[in-house]
Amino acid sequence: MKSQSVAIARDNRRETGIVMALMLSAIMVLMSALGAAAQERPTSFADLAEKISPAVVNITTTTVVSTNAGPQGMVPEGSPFEDFFRDFQNQGPRESSALGSGFVISDDGYIVTNNHVIEGADEILIEFFPGGGTPMEAELVGTDPNTDIALLKVDATDLPFVEFGDSDTARVGDWVMAMGNPLGQGFSVSAGIVSARNRSLSGTYDDYIQTDAAINRGNSGGPLFNMDGDVVGVNTAILSPNGGSIGIGFSMASNVVTKVVDQLREFGETRRGWLGVQIQDVTPDMVDGIEGLDVATGALVNAVPDGPAKDAGVMAGDVILSFDGAEIENTRELVQIVAEAPVGQEVILDILRRGETVDITVTLGRRETAQASMPGNEAPMEQEAPAAEETELLGLTLSEISKSVIAEYGLAPNATGLVVLDVAPLSDADSKGLMAGDLITQVNQQDVNSIADFSAIVEEAKDGGRKSVLVFVNREGVNRFMSLSLVE
């Protein structure tokens, strides 16, 4: 029995040893993996900074400012201060300087910066980092205020330069490095991470990378690098209550910048595609009122002025679902993809129209030269209907068109539809912002010229189990779709 007990004890110790060995092996594997992950975080940015800094430049601009336009008659004639103020007013032109940053993108001297850095400048000087050297005078090749990008050129060869990377590969949390001339202090490097993507500030073509890498005044126009040394953004703006960096900076994404730079380099100006439609987003409450649409997607056309889209047959009420094969989720996507398309290109629009999908081929125009205008017809009405009917429906007091209504609300003489006379407080129509004087011309993409038309479409929608209808509203010449609930 004793020998049997000893054998069992040895077996237990052997099993325990095996388990401990396995656990130790697993811990070592885990620690190795964690160590490898930790090594992905750079221990220093010095090598990267040394490699790419020769292509980063300081930009100094000089602008001649006149001082002769000062206030006159500040002191009465004969005053002892008269000569002083006369000398002050007649100082003549003076020079105003500003600082910014930029970076070289080719060995023959093309340089990218912000438009606001060089806007209105009479002289642009480039100084290379580090080491300075003799400043070089730069020529302005072209600008794009919409993206705040400018392209410069210096007369030089064999310059150090950097290349653009694919900003779409930049992920939130990736390391980035900013270079430039913050607050006029000279060459400076700051590092951080990508804080957010696809930020929009105020422009039509905005696509900003947000970063917490320190960006201050003077950094404008400088590059934002990824860890491969490629430019993924152009430092443009900061969000700050005090004018200094608080860790919220914005860089225009390189995939936007490269297209602008290519056009500036080739033409000296931008040449964006133009479709010629007024559009709005499809909101979730509109979906039930748009036949054939199941989710809030696409761009809803609310007006089609003279232009490529009208020539091709696009109509108000159409929902643009795709542009040349690229699905469209919202108006911002459509605006950007159209702008990037070549002028004169034929594209196919996938359109939802009254429950059916229609393909329309459009030849794009050029946005910069487009002079679209809404057609107008000032011809007076032939005659007035004997009596304008009024009714209350969906929280709206509606009236058919009459001369008195046209005069009261300043409508066009040839206006059609129903006029909103009043909106019930706390109604869905009130919450959507409908107002007296609004003109409703369509309901569920069907023309309405009478109270009977409106009522019939509403009843049809209710019978079909819909919870809302889509109304087409014109307010002072501006068209917009709105969804009105049928649930009381």
Side-chain angles (χ1 to χ4, degrees), residues 83 431 441:
D83 291 340
S431 69
T441 59

Side-chain angles (χ1 to χ4, degrees), residues 309-334:
K310 184 176 182 179
D311 293 342
V314 178
M315 302 169 58
D318 288 345
V319 180
I320 300 176
L321 301 176
S322 72
F323 178 93
D324 222 26
E327 293 186 1
I328 301 298
E329 291 188 8
N330 50 49
T331 57
R332 184 180 176 215
E333 278 193 4
L334 180 60

Side-chain angles (χ1 to χ4, degrees), residues 329-444:
E329 291 188 8
N330 50 49
T331 57
R332 184 180 176 215
E333 278 193 4
L334 180 60
V335 169
Q336 291 180 340
I337 197 171
V338 170
E340 293 173 359
V343 176
Q345 178 178 340
E346 284 192 353
V347 298
I348 298 177
L349 302 181
D350 184 16
I351 284 176
L352 178 65
R353 177 180 294 169
R354 297 181 180 177
E356 296 183 358
T357 301
V358 180
D359 288 339
I360 295 180
T361 301
V362 182
T363 302
L364 298 180
R366 184 184 173 195
R367 176 173 291 273
E368 289 83 356
T369 58
Q371 298 295 326
S373 60
M374 295 295 292
N377 182 4
E378 301 301 327
M381 293 179 63
E382 292 286 340
Q383 59 182 9
E384 181 182 1
E389 186 180 350
E390 296 181 11
T391 190
E392 293 184 10
L393 194 62
L394 304 183
L396 300 171
T397 301
L398 300 170
S399 171
E400 295 177 351
I401 296 293
S402 67
K403 285 185 177 180
S404 60
V405 169
I406 288 175
E408 181 177 357
Y409 293 104
L411 303 177
N414 62 330
T416 59
L418 300 176
V419 181
V420 177
L421 302 182
D422 194 18
V423 182
L426 304 180
S427 64
D428 185 52
D430 183 39
S431 69
K432 297 294 172 58
L434 280 163
M435 301 168 53
D438 286 346
L439 187 65
I440 297 177
T441 59
Q442 290 184 356
V443 179
N444 280 355

